Amino acid sequence: MLTQTNHRETYRFVPSTSTPVSPGRVAELLKAEWELFTKQTGKSAQESRRALKSLPLGVTSSFQHWDPYPISIVSAKGAWMTDVDGRQLLDLSMGFGAMLAGHLNPVIVEEVKKALETGTLFVTPSPISTDAAERICRRFGIDQVRFTNSGTESTMYAVRTARAATDKNAVVKIEGGYHGSYDPLVVSTKPPLDKIGDPNNPIPYTPNGIVPGEMHVVPYNNAEALEQTFKKHASSIACFILEPVLENIGIVLPDEGYLERVRELCDEYNVVLIFDEVKTGLTAGHQGAAQRLGVTPDLITLAKSIGGGLTLAAFGGKKKYMDFVTNGKMAHFGTFNGNPLAMAGVRAADVIFTHDSLVKAEKFNQQALERINAIIEQYQLPAHTVGFGVKGCITWSTEPVRNYRDYKATDFAIAELSWLWSLNRGIMTPPGLDEQWLISLAHGQKEVDILVEDFESFAKALRS
Ligand SMILES: Cc1ncc(COP(=O)(O)O)c(C=O)c1O
C-alpha cells in the first residue's frame, strides 16, 4: 500500500474500490476493434504499403509505427486532423507536446511568414536568435541557452557539458526513462524485466549496438537507491539526468520531497543535475516543470513546446556550466542551430503561452480528469487518472504507479483496447500505450466533451 503522496503541484486520483474486467471480454472487444480499424482505414493501408518501400517500417520515426499500419495524415488545423481516408480526427497527441499552440496557430503562422520573407538560414549571429535566447532564459529562469534541432541533441550536449564541467564521465539515469537516442541515455529505456535484476538496485540494460560508457540506473522515486549509487561511484559520476515528471511511461509523478532530496544529493556528491524538460516544458505550466515543482536543476533540456511546432530544441542553465561551451571544453556546433524560422517559432510561442492561456487549457484538462474519475467510479474500473499541467492519462492499475516496475505491472491489454476504441471513433492519441493526452490552446469544451463521452462509451462496452 502506498504511503507516499505525490508532489502537491501534480494530480492523481485512485478510487478506493474496483472490480476486475474479464480478460475474455477484453480479447473479444480487441478482435472486433481491430476488424473495425481495417474496415475504416483502407487508404492508410494503401499509403503504408507504398511507404514501406522507401522508408523502414513506412515511417520517418519508429515511434510513428504500429501493426498492422498507422493512420496517415494529410492536414491538421486547430485540434483536428484529416486522414487519407477523409476522416476528421480529434488530435489529443499534438505532436507529443510540440503542437501545444494548436495546428496552424495564426500567431505562429504569421511570425514564421514574416521570417520567411527575410531568409531561411544565415549561419551567422542574428538579432532574431538573440531575441529567442533572451525569451527562453527569462521564461525558464536560466542564465544561458544554446539552440539545437532535436531533444536528442539537447540531452547529449547537456551530458557532455556536465562531463566537461566535472572532469568525470559516468552518467546516472532513471530506469524506464527516455531521453532520445544518445548512446548512454538509451540504456534501460524500456528494459526487459528478466534482464534487470533487483528493483532497488537495477542492472543497466544496454541494447545491441549501443556503446554507453559507465552508466548507472536507479529507480524513480527512490532517493535511497540514488544515494547508494552516489556513495559508491561519486568519484566518476558527472551527472544525473531525469524528467522531473516521467512522461514516457504514462505520467509518473514525483513523490512529495523526492526532487528536493535529489537536489540535495547532487549538491552533496558534486553531481550535475539535469532536468530533461523536452516533454514537460510548457505543458507543465508557463515556466516549465522545474519552476512549478520548485526545484532548480543545473542544466535543463527543452524541445517540443518551446518552438510552437517548428523544429527546435535547446539546452541551457547556470552560467558556471554553460561557461564550458564558452571556453570550448564542450564543443557545440550545428548548421541549422538557431535558424530564423525556428527562432520565429520561439518568439510567437513566447507571446502565445501566457500564464492565463495555459491556466485556461489546464482547467479543461482538470475538468476532463474529474469527469473521467466519475466514470471510473461508476463502472468500478480497475484504473486511475494522473495529470500534470495540460496532460492527463488513464493508468490501468488499481495502485499508483511510482516507477518503471509498477508501470510494467499495469494492464497493457485494456490500455491497447482503450487506445484503439478511441482511434476507431475519431480520437487520435499516441500509439505507444505509454503516452498521455494533451489539451492544447486549440482544445475547448467541445473537444473535452468528446474525450469524456468516448471514455464513457468505452466503460459501458467493457461492462456489457
Ligand atoms: C523526455 C524526452 N527527452 C528527449 C527526447 C528526444 O527528443 P527528440 O525526439 O526531439 O530527439 C524525447 C522525445 O520524445 C523525450 O520525450
Side-chain angles (χ1 to χ4, degrees):
M1 209 45 217
L2 183 84
T3 50
Q4 291 87 352
T5 53
N6 48 294
H7 191 292
R8 66 198 169 283
E9 288 292 325
T10 64
Y11 179 85
R12 178 160 58 209
F13 174 78
V14 186
S16 51
T17 60
S18 69
T19 321
V21 175
S22 137
R25 179 69 183 144
V26 174
E28 180 192 352
L29 283 170
L30 260 177
K31 186 166 175 288
E33 289 301 317
W34 277 119
E35 279 165 17
L36 184 57
F37 173 83
T38 351
K39 218 187 269 174
Q40 296 186 135
T41 55
K43 291 210 171 118
S44 276
Q46 210 177 314
E47 187 55 34
S48 176
R49 279 194 295 275
R50 176 184 158 206
L52 278 166
K53 294 189 187 129
S54 54
L55 293 159
L57 292 173
V59 293
T60 55
S61 159
S62 296
F63 275 128
Q64 296 170 5
H65 174 75
W66 72 74
D67 279 327
Y69 52 84
I71 302 286
S72 189
I73 298 294
V74 287
S75 65
K77 190 159 178 23
W80 294 83
M81 302 200 288
T82 307
D83 74 2
V84 285
D85 286 279
R87 299 183 312 157
Q88 293 295 298
L89 299 168
L90 172 60
D91 188 359
L92 281 172
S93 163
M94 301 306 285
F96 303 116
M99 303 312 303
L100 178 62
H103 296 284
L104 294 181
N105 179 296
V107 180
I108 292 179
V109 170
E110 186 54 36
E111 201 64 50
V112 172
K113 271 189 182 161
K114 257 199 267 164
L116 260 177
E117 283 162 15
T118 61
T120 53
L121 188 65
F122 309 137
V123 296
T124 67
S126 171
I128 197 171
S129 328
T130 311
D131 175 73
E134 286 168 357
R135 288 172 189 271
I136 294 286
C137 288
R138 204 162 42 233
R139 189 179 272 271
F140 290 95
I142 55 178
D143 297 329
Q144 287 193 312
V145 68
R146 271 290 180 93
F147 293 111
T148 69
N149 305 285
S150 70
T152 292
E153 277 178 82
S154 288
T155 52
M156 174 181 84
Y157 282 119
V159 167
R160 286 190 182 159
T161 305
R163 285 175 171 165
T166 57
D167 267 330
K168 302 189 279 184
N169 282 326
V171 175
V172 184
K173 76 178 285 275
I174 296 286
E175 187 172 65
Y178 179 72
H179 304 285
S181 305
Y182 178 42
D183 281 33
L185 304 182
V186 173
V187 170
S188 291
T189 291
K190 290 261 172 74
L193 286 179
D194 60 345
K195 299 270 192 299
I196 53 179
D198 179 355
N200 292 315
N201 187 19
I203 301 167
Y205 175 76
T206 306
N208 284 340
I210 298 295
V211 185
E214 185 183 336
M215 277 300 302
H216 303 280
V217 173
V218 292
Y220 188 61
N221 274 326
N222 188 334
E224 295 78 43
L226 184 68
E227 186 165 15
Q228 286 312 313
T229 302
F230 283 1
K231 252 188 198 149
K232 276 193 227 143
H233 307 284
S235 62
S236 61
I237 295 172
C239 61
F240 177 39
I241 182 167
L242 77 164
E243 286 187 278
V245 172
L246 304 195
E247 291 195 348
N248 282 290
I249 49 172
I251 301 175
V252 182
L253 306 174
D255 292 343
E256 191 73 64
Y258 171 66
L259 295 174
E260 290 79 353
R261 183 70 188 131
V262 163
R263 177 68 275 181
E264 281 170 8
L265 288 170
C266 286
D267 288 340
E268 193 179 329
Y269 288 91
N270 184 29
V271 170
V272 177
L273 176 59
I274 304 172
F275 275 179
D276 180 357
E277 289 223 43
V278 164
K279 275 197 106 175
T280 52
L282 297 175
T283 73
H286 76 295
Q287 293 177 301
Q291 289 186 84
R292 178 148 193 188
L293 299 171
V295 175
T296 310
D298 298 310
L299 292 169
I300 187 173
T301 58
L302 297 161
K304 306 197 197 286
S305 56
I306 60 164
L310 277 291
T311 312
L312 172 78
F315 68 100
K318 296 178 180 167
K319 185 168 177 306
K320 73 170 181 176
Y321 296 105
M322 296 305 280
D323 277 348
F324 287 85
V325 184
T326 308
N327 70 20
K329 284 201 176 150
M330 202 297 288
H332 172 238
F333 305 111
T335 303
F336 289 104
N337 293 352
N339 69 81
L341 299 188
M343 298 298 93
V346 172
R347 190 201 296 249
D350 194 48
V351 170
I352 295 168
F353 296 131
T354 60
H355 171 267
D356 290 357
S357 69
L358 287 168
V359 165
K360 187 170 164 214
E362 188 166 329
K363 280 191 180 148
F364 277 126
N365 188 40
Q366 195 58 32
Q367 183 202 127
L369 286 162
E370 282 165 17
R371 288 169 67 191
I372 286 170
N373 290 343
I375 297 165
I376 289 175
E377 287 195 303
Q378 184 188 345
Y379 290 86
Q380 287 287 293
L381 298 176
H384 66 273
T385 57
V386 189
F388 184 49
V390 298
K391 290 184 172 186
C393 73
I394 297 158
T395 298
W396 292 93
S397 153
T398 54
E399 296 287 326
V401 168
R402 294 177 52 247
N403 55 43
Y404 177 67
R405 309 284 174 121
D406 291 351
Y407 159 77
K408 286 297 280 182
T410 63
D411 192 325
F412 284 80
I414 308 187
E416 177 187 339
L417 178 59
S418 167
W419 162 76
L420 184 58
W421 179 274
S422 299
L423 187 62
N424 282 342
R425 285 153 191 80
I427 298 177
M428 190 90 159
T429 48
L433 308 185
D434 43 20
E435 289 288 339
Q436 55 284 140
W437 70 69
L438 182 147
I439 303 296
S440 80
L441 302 196
H443 292 73
Q445 192 58 55
K446 176 178 138 193
E447 285 78 17
V448 170
D449 289 346
I450 292 172
L451 164 64
V452 174
E453 284 159 20
D454 175 73
F455 184 68
E456 180 152 32
S457 74
F458 178 59
K460 260 189 207 144
L462 277 179
R463 290 305 189 196
S464 63

